[in-house]
Short mmCIF file of all heavy atoms in Angstrom, two decimals:
data_model
loop_
_atom_site.label_atom_id
_atom_site.label_comp_id
_atom_site.label_asym_id
_atom_site.label_seq_id
_atom_site.Cartn_x
_atom_site.Cartn_y
_atom_site.Cartn_z
N MET C 1 -7.61 -17.77 3.84
CA MET C 1 -7.45 -16.71 2.90
C MET C 1 -7.16 -15.37 3.57
O MET C 1 -6.36 -14.60 3.10
CB MET C 1 -8.69 -16.63 1.99
CG MET C 1 -8.64 -15.53 1.01
SD MET C 1 -7.77 -16.07 -0.46
CE MET C 1 -8.52 -15.03 -1.66
N GLY C 2 -7.87 -15.09 4.68
CA GLY C 2 -7.69 -13.82 5.38
C GLY C 2 -6.25 -13.64 5.87
O GLY C 2 -5.72 -12.55 5.85
N TRP C 3 -5.61 -14.75 6.30
CA TRP C 3 -4.24 -14.66 6.79
C TRP C 3 -3.30 -14.23 5.69
O TRP C 3 -2.37 -13.46 5.91
CB TRP C 3 -3.77 -15.98 7.40
CG TRP C 3 -3.73 -17.11 6.43
CD1 TRP C 3 -4.70 -18.01 6.11
CD2 TRP C 3 -2.62 -17.44 5.55
NE1 TRP C 3 -4.31 -18.87 5.13
CE2 TRP C 3 -3.00 -18.55 4.76
CE3 TRP C 3 -1.35 -16.91 5.39
CZ2 TRP C 3 -2.18 -19.13 3.82
CZ3 TRP C 3 -0.52 -17.51 4.45
CH2 TRP C 3 -0.95 -18.58 3.66
N ALA C 4 -3.56 -14.68 4.46
CA ALA C 4 -2.70 -14.31 3.33
C ALA C 4 -2.85 -12.83 3.01
O ALA C 4 -1.87 -12.13 2.74
CB ALA C 4 -3.03 -15.15 2.12
N ILE C 5 -4.08 -12.33 3.00
CA ILE C 5 -4.32 -10.93 2.75
C ILE C 5 -3.66 -10.06 3.79
O ILE C 5 -3.00 -9.07 3.50
CB ILE C 5 -5.82 -10.64 2.64
CG1 ILE C 5 -6.42 -11.37 1.41
CG2 ILE C 5 -6.09 -9.14 2.52
CD1 ILE C 5 -7.91 -11.33 1.34
N ARG C 6 -3.80 -10.47 5.07
CA ARG C 6 -3.13 -9.71 6.17
C ARG C 6 -1.63 -9.67 5.97
O ARG C 6 -1.01 -8.64 6.14
CB ARG C 6 -3.45 -10.33 7.50
CG ARG C 6 -4.77 -9.92 8.09
CD ARG C 6 -4.88 -10.43 9.54
NE ARG C 6 -6.25 -10.70 9.86
CZ ARG C 6 -6.91 -11.83 9.60
NH1 ARG C 6 -6.28 -12.86 9.03
NH2 ARG C 6 -8.16 -11.99 9.90
N ARG C 7 -1.06 -10.84 5.64
CA ARG C 7 0.42 -10.93 5.46
C ARG C 7 0.89 -10.05 4.33
O ARG C 7 1.83 -9.29 4.46
CB ARG C 7 0.80 -12.37 5.19
CG ARG C 7 2.26 -12.57 4.99
CD ARG C 7 2.62 -14.04 4.97
NE ARG C 7 4.03 -14.17 4.77
CZ ARG C 7 4.58 -14.67 3.70
NH1 ARG C 7 3.86 -15.10 2.71
NH2 ARG C 7 5.90 -14.74 3.60
N PHE C 8 0.24 -10.14 3.16
CA PHE C 8 0.66 -9.34 2.02
C PHE C 8 0.36 -7.86 2.21
O PHE C 8 1.15 -7.04 1.74
CB PHE C 8 0.02 -9.87 0.74
CG PHE C 8 0.64 -11.21 0.32
CD1 PHE C 8 -0.16 -12.32 0.23
CD2 PHE C 8 1.97 -11.31 0.03
CE1 PHE C 8 0.37 -13.56 -0.11
CE2 PHE C 8 2.53 -12.55 -0.32
CZ PHE C 8 1.72 -13.66 -0.42
N ASN C 9 -0.67 -7.55 2.97
CA ASN C 9 -0.94 -6.14 3.29
C ASN C 9 0.16 -5.56 4.16
O ASN C 9 0.58 -4.41 3.94
CB ASN C 9 -2.30 -5.98 3.93
CG ASN C 9 -2.72 -4.53 4.02
OD1 ASN C 9 -2.60 -3.79 3.06
ND2 ASN C 9 -3.20 -4.13 5.18
N LYS C 10 0.62 -6.34 5.12
CA LYS C 10 1.73 -5.86 5.99
C LYS C 10 2.98 -5.65 5.14
O LYS C 10 3.73 -4.68 5.36
CB LYS C 10 1.98 -6.82 7.13
CG LYS C 10 0.94 -6.80 8.21
CD LYS C 10 1.28 -7.73 9.35
CE LYS C 10 0.18 -7.84 10.33
NZ LYS C 10 -0.13 -6.64 11.07
N LEU C 11 3.28 -6.59 4.25
CA LEU C 11 4.44 -6.43 3.37
C LEU C 11 4.33 -5.22 2.50
O LEU C 11 5.28 -4.47 2.28
CB LEU C 11 4.64 -7.70 2.52
CG LEU C 11 5.00 -8.99 3.26
CD1 LEU C 11 4.94 -10.20 2.33
CD2 LEU C 11 6.42 -8.86 3.85
N ARG C 12 3.13 -5.01 1.94
CA ARG C 12 2.90 -3.82 1.07
C ARG C 12 3.07 -2.54 1.85
O ARG C 12 3.73 -1.63 1.41
CB ARG C 12 1.51 -3.87 0.46
CG ARG C 12 1.23 -2.72 -0.50
CD ARG C 12 -0.26 -2.51 -0.72
NE ARG C 12 -1.02 -2.40 0.47
CZ ARG C 12 -1.13 -1.30 1.24
NH1 ARG C 12 -0.40 -0.20 0.94
NH2 ARG C 12 -1.89 -1.27 2.31
N GLU C 13 2.52 -2.50 3.10
CA GLU C 13 2.65 -1.30 3.91
C GLU C 13 4.12 -1.03 4.26
O GLU C 13 4.55 0.12 4.26
CB GLU C 13 1.85 -1.45 5.19
CG GLU C 13 0.37 -1.31 5.00
CD GLU C 13 -0.41 -1.46 6.29
OE1 GLU C 13 0.09 -2.16 7.22
OE2 GLU C 13 -1.51 -0.86 6.40
N ALA C 14 4.89 -2.09 4.53
CA ALA C 14 6.28 -1.89 4.89
C ALA C 14 7.12 -1.35 3.76
O ALA C 14 8.10 -0.63 4.00
CB ALA C 14 6.88 -3.25 5.34
N SER C 15 6.75 -1.63 2.55
CA SER C 15 7.57 -1.14 1.39
C SER C 15 6.91 -0.03 0.64
O SER C 15 7.49 0.43 -0.38
CB SER C 15 7.87 -2.31 0.45
OG SER C 15 6.69 -2.79 -0.13
N ALA C 16 5.75 0.44 1.07
CA ALA C 16 5.00 1.47 0.32
C ALA C 16 5.78 2.73 0.07
O ALA C 16 5.79 3.31 -1.01
CB ALA C 16 3.68 1.75 1.00
N ASP C 17 6.44 3.26 1.11
CA ASP C 17 7.24 4.51 0.96
C ASP C 17 8.38 4.32 -0.01
O ASP C 17 8.67 5.22 -0.83
CB ASP C 17 7.71 5.02 2.31
CG ASP C 17 6.53 5.49 3.18
OD1 ASP C 17 5.49 5.88 2.61
OD2 ASP C 17 6.69 5.47 4.41
N GLU C 18 9.04 3.20 0.07
CA GLU C 18 10.16 2.93 -0.83
C GLU C 18 9.69 2.83 -2.29
O GLU C 18 10.29 3.37 -3.20
CB GLU C 18 10.84 1.61 -0.41
CG GLU C 18 12.05 1.25 -1.20
CD GLU C 18 12.73 -0.02 -0.74
OE1 GLU C 18 12.48 -0.44 0.40
OE2 GLU C 18 13.44 -0.61 -1.56
N VAL C 19 8.56 2.17 -2.49
CA VAL C 19 8.03 2.00 -3.84
C VAL C 19 7.59 3.40 -4.34
O VAL C 19 7.82 3.75 -5.50
CB VAL C 19 6.83 1.00 -3.86
CG1 VAL C 19 6.13 1.03 -5.19
CG2 VAL C 19 7.36 -0.39 -3.55
N ALA C 20 6.93 4.18 -3.51
CA ALA C 20 6.49 5.51 -3.88
C ALA C 20 7.67 6.38 -4.28
O ALA C 20 7.63 7.12 -5.30
CB ALA C 20 5.70 6.18 -2.76
N ALA C 21 8.78 6.30 -3.55
CA ALA C 21 9.97 7.09 -3.87
C ALA C 21 10.54 6.66 -5.22
O ALA C 21 10.96 7.50 -6.04
CB ALA C 21 11.05 6.91 -2.75
N ALA C 22 10.56 5.34 -5.48
CA ALA C 22 11.07 4.86 -6.77
C ALA C 22 10.21 5.36 -7.94
O ALA C 22 10.71 5.75 -8.96
CB ALA C 22 11.14 3.34 -6.77
N ILE C 23 8.89 5.30 -7.73
CA ILE C 23 7.99 5.75 -8.77
C ILE C 23 8.17 7.26 -9.05
O ILE C 23 8.23 7.69 -10.18
CB ILE C 23 6.49 5.45 -8.39
CG1 ILE C 23 6.25 3.94 -8.43
CG2 ILE C 23 5.54 6.17 -9.32
CD1 ILE C 23 4.96 3.55 -7.83
N SER C 24 8.28 8.02 -7.98
CA SER C 24 8.49 9.47 -8.10
C SER C 24 9.80 9.74 -8.84
O SER C 24 9.85 10.61 -9.72
CB SER C 24 8.53 10.15 -6.74
OG SER C 24 7.24 10.09 -6.18
N ALA C 25 10.86 9.03 -8.50
CA ALA C 25 12.15 9.25 -9.16
C ALA C 25 12.08 8.87 -10.64
O ALA C 25 12.67 9.54 -11.48
CB ALA C 25 13.21 8.43 -8.46
N GLU C 26 11.34 7.83 -10.92
CA GLU C 26 11.28 7.33 -12.29
C GLU C 26 10.45 8.22 -13.23
O GLU C 26 10.83 8.49 -14.36
CB GLU C 26 10.74 5.90 -12.33
CG GLU C 26 10.74 5.31 -13.72
CD GLU C 26 10.33 3.86 -13.72
OE1 GLU C 26 10.84 3.11 -12.88
OE2 GLU C 26 9.52 3.45 -14.57
N ASN C 27 9.29 8.65 -12.72
CA ASN C 27 8.43 9.41 -13.67
C ASN C 27 8.26 10.87 -13.27
O ASN C 27 7.46 11.57 -13.91
CB ASN C 27 7.08 8.72 -13.80
CG ASN C 27 6.26 8.71 -12.53
OD1 ASN C 27 6.55 9.42 -11.60
ND2 ASN C 27 5.23 7.92 -12.52
N GLY C 28 8.92 11.35 -12.26
CA GLY C 28 8.89 12.75 -11.90
C GLY C 28 7.63 13.22 -11.15
O GLY C 28 7.43 14.41 -11.01
N SER C 29 6.82 12.28 -10.69
CA SER C 29 5.64 12.67 -9.88
C SER C 29 6.09 13.17 -8.54
O SER C 29 7.08 12.77 -7.99
CB SER C 29 4.72 11.44 -9.67
OG SER C 29 4.26 10.94 -10.88
N ALA C 30 5.26 14.06 -7.99
CA ALA C 30 5.52 14.56 -6.63
C ALA C 30 5.39 13.38 -5.66
O ALA C 30 4.50 12.53 -5.79
CB ALA C 30 4.51 15.64 -6.27
N SER C 31 6.25 13.32 -4.66
CA SER C 31 6.23 12.17 -3.72
C SER C 31 4.95 12.12 -2.95
O SER C 31 4.44 11.03 -2.63
CB SER C 31 7.45 12.26 -2.79
OG SER C 31 7.42 13.41 -2.03
N TRP C 32 4.33 13.28 -2.62
CA TRP C 32 3.07 13.26 -1.89
C TRP C 32 2.00 12.56 -2.75
O TRP C 32 1.11 11.89 -2.23
CB TRP C 32 2.62 14.63 -1.46
CG TRP C 32 2.30 15.55 -2.62
CD1 TRP C 32 3.15 16.42 -3.19
CD2 TRP C 32 1.07 15.63 -3.35
NE1 TRP C 32 2.52 17.08 -4.26
CE2 TRP C 32 1.23 16.59 -4.34
CE3 TRP C 32 -0.14 15.02 -3.23
CZ2 TRP C 32 0.22 16.93 -5.23
CZ3 TRP C 32 -1.16 15.34 -4.13
CH2 TRP C 32 -0.98 16.30 -5.11
N PHE C 33 2.10 12.74 -4.07
CA PHE C 33 1.09 12.17 -4.95
C PHE C 33 1.20 10.66 -5.05
O PHE C 33 0.20 9.96 -5.03
CB PHE C 33 1.24 12.80 -6.34
CG PHE C 33 0.26 12.27 -7.35
CD1 PHE C 33 -1.06 12.72 -7.35
CD2 PHE C 33 0.63 11.34 -8.29
CE1 PHE C 33 -1.98 12.23 -8.25
CE2 PHE C 33 -0.29 10.83 -9.20
CZ PHE C 33 -1.60 11.31 -9.19
N THR C 34 2.42 10.15 -5.09
CA THR C 34 2.59 8.70 -5.19
C THR C 34 2.34 8.01 -3.89
O THR C 34 2.01 6.80 -3.87
CB THR C 34 4.01 8.35 -5.71
OG1 THR C 34 5.00 8.95 -4.91
CG2 THR C 34 4.19 8.76 -7.14
N ARG C 35 2.42 8.72 -2.74
CA ARG C 35 2.12 8.10 -1.45
C ARG C 35 0.64 8.23 -1.06
O ARG C 35 0.20 7.57 -0.14
CB ARG C 35 2.97 8.76 -0.37
CG ARG C 35 4.41 8.37 -0.41
CD ARG C 35 5.16 8.85 0.85
NE ARG C 35 4.81 10.19 1.29
CZ ARG C 35 5.49 11.27 1.04
NH1 ARG C 35 6.65 11.21 0.40
NH2 ARG C 35 5.10 12.43 1.51
N ILE C 36 -0.13 9.01 -1.80
CA ILE C 36 -1.49 9.32 -1.41
C ILE C 36 -2.38 8.07 -1.40
O ILE C 36 -3.34 8.00 -0.63
CB ILE C 36 -2.07 10.40 -2.28
CG1 ILE C 36 -3.25 11.12 -1.55
CG2 ILE C 36 -2.49 9.92 -3.63
CD1 ILE C 36 -3.64 12.41 -2.20
N GLY C 37 -2.09 7.06 -2.22
CA GLY C 37 -2.92 5.89 -2.29
C GLY C 37 -2.73 4.88 -1.17
O GLY C 37 -3.55 3.98 -1.00
N LYS C 38 -1.67 5.04 -0.40
CA LYS C 38 -1.37 4.08 0.67
C LYS C 38 -2.53 3.81 1.62
O LYS C 38 -2.91 2.69 1.84
CB LYS C 38 -0.11 4.52 1.42
CG LYS C 38 0.31 3.61 2.52
CD LYS C 38 1.55 4.10 3.20
CE LYS C 38 2.00 3.25 4.34
NZ LYS C 38 3.20 3.74 5.00
N PRO C 39 -3.16 4.84 2.18
CA PRO C 39 -4.27 4.54 3.13
C PRO C 39 -5.48 3.90 2.44
O PRO C 39 -6.17 3.08 3.07
CB PRO C 39 -4.63 5.90 3.74
CG PRO C 39 -3.89 6.92 2.95
CD PRO C 39 -2.85 6.24 2.15
N PHE C 40 -5.69 4.21 1.17
CA PHE C 40 -6.82 3.61 0.49
C PHE C 40 -6.60 2.13 0.21
O PHE C 40 -7.55 1.33 0.34
CB PHE C 40 -7.05 4.34 -0.83
CG PHE C 40 -7.36 5.82 -0.63
CD1 PHE C 40 -6.45 6.76 -1.07
CD2 PHE C 40 -8.52 6.22 0.00
CE1 PHE C 40 -6.70 8.10 -0.85
CE2 PHE C 40 -8.79 7.57 0.20
CZ PHE C 40 -7.88 8.51 -0.25
N LEU C 41 -5.38 1.76 -0.09
CA LEU C 41 -5.05 0.34 -0.29
C LEU C 41 -5.18 -0.44 1.01
O LEU C 41 -5.66 -1.56 1.03
CB LEU C 41 -3.67 0.18 -0.89
CG LEU C 41 -3.49 0.67 -2.33
CD1 LEU C 41 -2.05 0.61 -2.72
CD2 LEU C 41 -4.35 -0.18 -3.26
N THR C 42 -4.71 0.17 2.10
CA THR C 42 -4.86 -0.46 3.42
C THR C 42 -6.34 -0.64 3.79
O THR C 42 -6.74 -1.71 4.23
CB THR C 42 -4.17 0.38 4.50
OG1 THR C 42 -2.77 0.46 4.17
CG2 THR C 42 -4.32 -0.22 5.88
N ARG C 43 -7.13 0.37 3.54
CA ARG C 43 -8.55 0.30 3.85
C ARG C 43 -9.22 -0.78 2.97
O ARG C 43 -10.08 -1.53 3.48
CB ARG C 43 -9.21 1.65 3.56
CG ARG C 43 -10.59 1.79 4.17
CD ARG C 43 -11.17 3.17 4.03
NE ARG C 43 -10.19 4.18 4.47
CZ ARG C 43 -10.01 5.33 3.79
NH1 ARG C 43 -10.68 5.61 2.72
NH2 ARG C 43 -9.11 6.22 4.23
N GLN C 44 -8.84 -0.89 1.74
CA GLN C 44 -9.44 -1.89 0.85
C GLN C 44 -9.05 -3.31 1.33
O GLN C 44 -9.91 -4.19 1.38
CB GLN C 44 -8.95 -1.68 -0.56
CG GLN C 44 -9.51 -2.65 -1.54
CD GLN C 44 -9.01 -2.44 -2.96
OE1 GLN C 44 -8.00 -1.71 -3.15
NE2 GLN C 44 -9.61 -3.04 -3.92
N ALA C 45 -7.80 -3.50 1.68
CA ALA C 45 -7.39 -4.81 2.20
C ALA C 45 -8.10 -5.20 3.48
O ALA C 45 -8.57 -6.32 3.61
CB ALA C 45 -5.86 -4.83 2.40
N ASN C 46 -8.25 -4.22 4.39
CA ASN C 46 -8.93 -4.49 5.65
C ASN C 46 -10.42 -4.81 5.44
O ASN C 46 -10.99 -5.66 6.11
CB ASN C 46 -8.77 -3.33 6.62
CG ASN C 46 -7.39 -3.22 7.16
OD1 ASN C 46 -6.65 -4.22 7.19
ND2 ASN C 46 -7.00 -2.04 7.55
N ALA C 47 -11.02 -4.13 4.47
CA ALA C 47 -12.44 -4.42 4.17
C ALA C 47 -12.60 -5.78 3.59
O ALA C 47 -13.61 -6.46 3.80
CB ALA C 47 -12.96 -3.36 3.19
N THR C 48 -11.63 -6.26 2.79
CA THR C 48 -11.68 -7.56 2.20
C THR C 48 -11.60 -8.64 3.27
O THR C 48 -12.27 -9.66 3.19
CB THR C 48 -10.51 -7.75 1.21
OG1 THR C 48 -10.61 -6.73 0.20
CG2 THR C 48 -10.58 -9.10 0.54
N ILE C 49 -10.80 -8.41 4.30
CA ILE C 49 -10.61 -9.37 5.39
C ILE C 49 -11.88 -9.51 6.24
O ILE C 49 -12.26 -10.60 6.63
CB ILE C 49 -9.45 -8.96 6.29
CG1 ILE C 49 -8.13 -9.07 5.50
CG2 ILE C 49 -9.37 -9.84 7.52
CD1 ILE C 49 -6.95 -8.40 6.17
N HIS C 50 -12.53 -8.37 6.50
CA HIS C 50 -13.68 -8.38 7.39
C HIS C 50 -14.91 -8.61 6.64
O HIS C 50 -15.73 -8.56 6.20
CB HIS C 50 -13.75 -7.11 8.20
CG HIS C 50 -12.54 -6.88 9.03
ND1 HIS C 50 -12.26 -7.65 10.16
CD2 HIS C 50 -11.50 -6.05 8.89
CE1 HIS C 50 -11.11 -7.25 10.66
NE2 HIS C 50 -10.65 -6.28 9.91
#
């Protein structure tokens, strides 16, 4: 199970900026605001693994 979480977390991290840019463009949010959750999601995934 840990390998799957690691794999999907790497995929999420790789596309996080692109997804944040799309969200900002779609709803007009500031790009810093849509990217702010990235480290928290990484921390949550890492805590789940360990």
Side-chain angles (χ1 to χ4, degrees):
M1 177 85 153
W3 64 268
I5 294 171
R6 277 189 212 84
R7 180 171 180 248
F8 288 118
N9 190 46
K10 287 184 188 294
L11 292 171
R12 183 199 51 79
E13 286 179 333
S15 63
D17 291 335
E18 183 179 339
V19 171
I23 291 169
S24 291
E26 184 173 315
N27 67 13
S29 298
S31 61
W32 65 266
F33 180 77
T34 54
R35 287 191 319 260
I36 202 165
K38 182 179 176 180
F40 301 112
L41 291 172
T42 299
R43 195 173 312 137
Q44 180 180 15
N46 289 336
T48 302
I49 293 167
H50 301 288

